[in-house]
């Protein structure tokens, strides 16, 4: 595997992480409004959102794996 392919793989993982961060940020914003100033409730919500965030990351990786693999393969084949 060339270094370009490993860079593409790292970029794909970073993109999955960025998508997860955006979705988690939306969830955190909803929690901030729902907590209404209760710090304990907000902290509990943050801890509870950790597992769904990990699940969202895995689902994002699974849904984008085949298109990303095709794009990486084509770019290696065509030397783009």
């Amino acid at each position: 595997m060339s270094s370009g392919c490993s860079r593409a793989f790292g970029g794909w993982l970073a993109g999955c992480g960025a998508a997860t961060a955006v979705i988690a940020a939306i969830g955190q914003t909803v929690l901030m409004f729902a907590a209404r100033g209760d710090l304990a409730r907000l902290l509990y919500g943050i801890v509870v959102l950790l597992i769904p965030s990990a699940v969202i990351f895995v689902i994002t990786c699974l849904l984008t794996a085949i298109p990303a693999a095709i794009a990486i393969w084509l770019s290696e084949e065509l030397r783009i």
Side-chain angles (χ1 to χ4, degrees):
M1 200 164 14
S2 69
S3 66
C5 189
S6 62
R7 280 187 5 196
F9 181 72
W12 169 69
L13 280 179
C16 291
T20 302
V22 168
I23 294 169
I26 292 169
Q28 285 291 56
T29 304
V30 170
L31 275 177
M32 285 187 334
F33 286 114
R36 298 182 192 256
D38 186 8
L39 186 60
R41 188 173 172 190
L42 180 62
L43 290 175
Y44 176 74
I46 290 171
V47 171
V48 168
L49 270 182
L50 289 177
I51 292 185
S53 292
V55 171
I56 289 170
F57 178 75
V58 170
I59 290 171
T60 303
C61 288
L62 289 174
L63 290 176
T64 61
I66 293 174
I70 290 170
I72 292 169
W73 176 73
L74 279 174
S75 65
E76 286 288 317
E77 285 295 313
L78 301 174
R79 307 270 193 257
I80 296 175

